[in-house]
Amino acid sequence: MNIRLIELLRSAESDWVSSEVLRQPSGVSRTAISKQIKSLLAMGYEIESSTRKGYRLLRDLDGLQANLIQPFLEGTRFASGRYEYKEATTSTNNDVRQLGEEGAPEGSLVFAEVQEEGRGRRGRVWFNRAGDCLQFSVLLRPPVAPQQATLIPLLAATSVYRALQNMGVKDVAIKWPNDVLIRNRKVCGVLCEMSVDMEGIQYAILGIGLNVNTPGERFPKELWDIACSLASETGKTWRRSELLIAILKEMDAQLTLAWRGEIQPILEAWREGAHTLGKTIRVEMPNGEVLEGSAEDVNEQGALLVRDSSGKLHILHSGEVSLGTGSET
Ligand code: BT5
């Protein structure tokens, strides 16, 4: 089903939309439109129809349950996998690990309103507030070597970046490797975990947390200067279902490239959003060492290439990046 139909009905704000308008721009048939309207009615949307005036939306939905999301994902790997909507859980990454062990297909997804043990990298805590954010994990079965799978977090960040840009959000940027920022504050984090054995990758778990409608003052104090939500930055309330569908569609396209080994377009898309490249940065490494230098590029494994003041090139696979002295922010 095409999400454009419901978007057009929404933008008319319960006014009538003629079927001619709904049929544009691709010129789908009247029968196809009436079929899609029937599916929307079955999902719980209330739509009035009139042979003369067309259709109008009487009751809208913003649910994140499978029946409200998967029909809009037809043709992607997320349309047919397992899909679980939970009011609460420990961490959606734990739930998807379980699905991975049970043999669930790629594209299976777990969404939770609350995560009691939502986590970031290296065991850090991921703050979440019921009803305000998107937090979900997807199951992947990468047909690639573990060295190539290091691109997964980057392509996840790119998917969120692109979805937000397409929805008109300004000043979005990706911070290496996988944070998405708006005006330098973090709106989204990505946690990728993997199960690897002698034969290669069994599965990967890609977890995404996006702050959507969280009021700025509701973040814990220690996050005030570093975190933000879409609502706090744009001054409007966002429809989470639309965001989730947009992100998953972008992610599907990126994953298809990745599994085909088409690395360059993935890197190109990441570079477009990257705020780190070309800047003087400071990187704190996992072993506590600090490196300052110029961020030149990422390589095919997604590692960051940093040149220090003596001209030596460092290839970094992990670390915390902040913009160094003397660079614009
Ligand atoms: C991340 O870690 O940014 C990965 C976050 C992944 C969360 C998703 S939600 C679905 C899935 N299930 C999980 O349990 N996790 C994933 P890292 O780069 O290590 O950043 C963590 C740091 O971000 C924290 O130490 C805080 O400084 C900051 N932080 C915590 N909560 C935040 C929030 N809601 N918004 C912005 N920043 C936050």
Side-chain angles (χ1 to χ4, degrees), residues 83-155:
Y83 185 114
E84 292 177 13
Y85 169 86
K86 297 187 162 192
E87 289 293 344
T89 191
T90 52
S91 154
T92 53
N93 268 37
N94 297 348
D95 299 326
V96 166
R97 179 176 297 280
Q98 183 64 37
L99 293 184
E101 294 296 326
E102 288 169 11
E106 169 157 295
S108 296
L109 182 152
V110 177
F111 179 94
E113 293 291 357
V114 175
Q115 294 188 107
E116 280 135 22
E117 293 164 26
R119 59 178 186 267
R121 293 172 300 155
R122 285 183 264 293
R124 289 185 281 238
V125 174
W126 181 255
F127 165 76
N128 60 101
R129 192 166 171 267
D132 274 349
C133 46
L134 281 181
Q135 27 190 11
F136 63 96
S137 305
V138 298
L139 178 67
L140 304 176
R141 297 202 176 268
V144 297
Q147 311 81 277
Q148 273 170 286
T150 49
L151 278 184
I152 296 173
L154 278 80
L155 71 79

Side-chain angles (χ1 to χ4, degrees), residues 52-231:
R52 222 165 33 85
K53 296 188 225 163
Y55 300 94
R56 65 181 182 140
L57 183 62
L58 299 178
R59 178 169 171 255
D60 200 357
L61 299 171
D62 184 22
L64 293 146
Q65 292 82 356
N67 66 320
L68 296 175
I69 300 294
Q70 282 189 313
F72 293 109
L73 294 169
E74 258 167 40
T76 74
R77 57 182 43 72
F78 301 111
S80 53
R82 284 182 45 189
Y83 185 114
E84 292 177 13
Y85 169 86
K86 297 187 162 192
E87 289 293 344
T89 191
T90 52
S91 154
T92 53
N93 268 37
N94 297 348
D95 299 326
V96 166
R97 179 176 297 280
Q98 183 64 37
L99 293 184
E101 294 296 326
E102 288 169 11
E106 169 157 295
S108 296
L109 182 152
V110 177
F111 179 94
E113 293 291 357
V114 175
Q115 294 188 107
E116 280 135 22
E117 293 164 26
R119 59 178 186 267
R121 293 172 300 155
R122 285 183 264 293
R124 289 185 281 238
V125 174
W126 181 255
F127 165 76
N128 60 101
R129 192 166 171 267
D132 274 349
C133 46
L134 281 181
Q135 27 190 11
F136 63 96
S137 305
V138 298
L139 178 67
L140 304 176
R141 297 202 176 268
V144 297
Q147 311 81 277
Q148 273 170 286
T150 49
L151 278 184
I152 296 173
L154 278 80
L155 71 79
T158 306
S159 310
V160 174
Y161 166 80
R162 286 196 155 179
L164 297 185
Q165 280 237 315
N166 290 340
M167 293 174 95
V169 185
K170 300 264 180 296
D171 303 319
V172 190
I174 306 172
K175 185 176 103 171
W176 183 85
N178 51 19
D179 285 351
V180 182
L181 316 176
I182 303 179
R183 286 189 272 284
N184 273 334
R185 285 194 286 162
K186 181 159 163 174
V187 72
C188 172
V190 173
L191 176 66
C192 184
E193 297 172 319
M194 257 186 272
S195 168
V196 180
D197 64 17
M198 298 295 279
E199 284 159 29
I201 305 174
Q202 290 306 307
Y203 56 84
I205 305 155
L206 181 54
I208 297 201
L210 173 68
N211 306 317
V212 181
N213 292 321
T214 320
E217 68 279 7
R218 292 303 170 93
F219 283 103
K221 269 211 170 86
E222 65 273 17
L223 295 182
W224 279 4
D225 291 336
I226 55 172
C228 70
S229 72
L230 280 176

Side-chain angles (χ1 to χ4, degrees), residues 255-307:
L255 286 167
T256 300
L257 290 172
W259 291 182
R260 281 197 213 128
E262 293 180 33
I263 307 300
Q264 287 313 321
I266 296 177
L267 292 178
E268 228 13 83
W270 185 88
R271 286 184 190 112
E272 260 170 48
H275 97 323
T276 320
L277 297 184
K279 304 242 169 85
T280 305
I281 57 161
R282 192 174 177 276
V283 192
E284 198 178 322
M285 324 268 217
N287 65 6
E289 273 175 35
V290 172
L291 170 71
E292 268 209 27
S294 163
E296 293 199 339
D297 203 358
V298 281
N299 70 12
E300 294 208 337
Q301 279 78 47
L304 186 65
L305 310 183
V306 180
R307 196 171 297 278

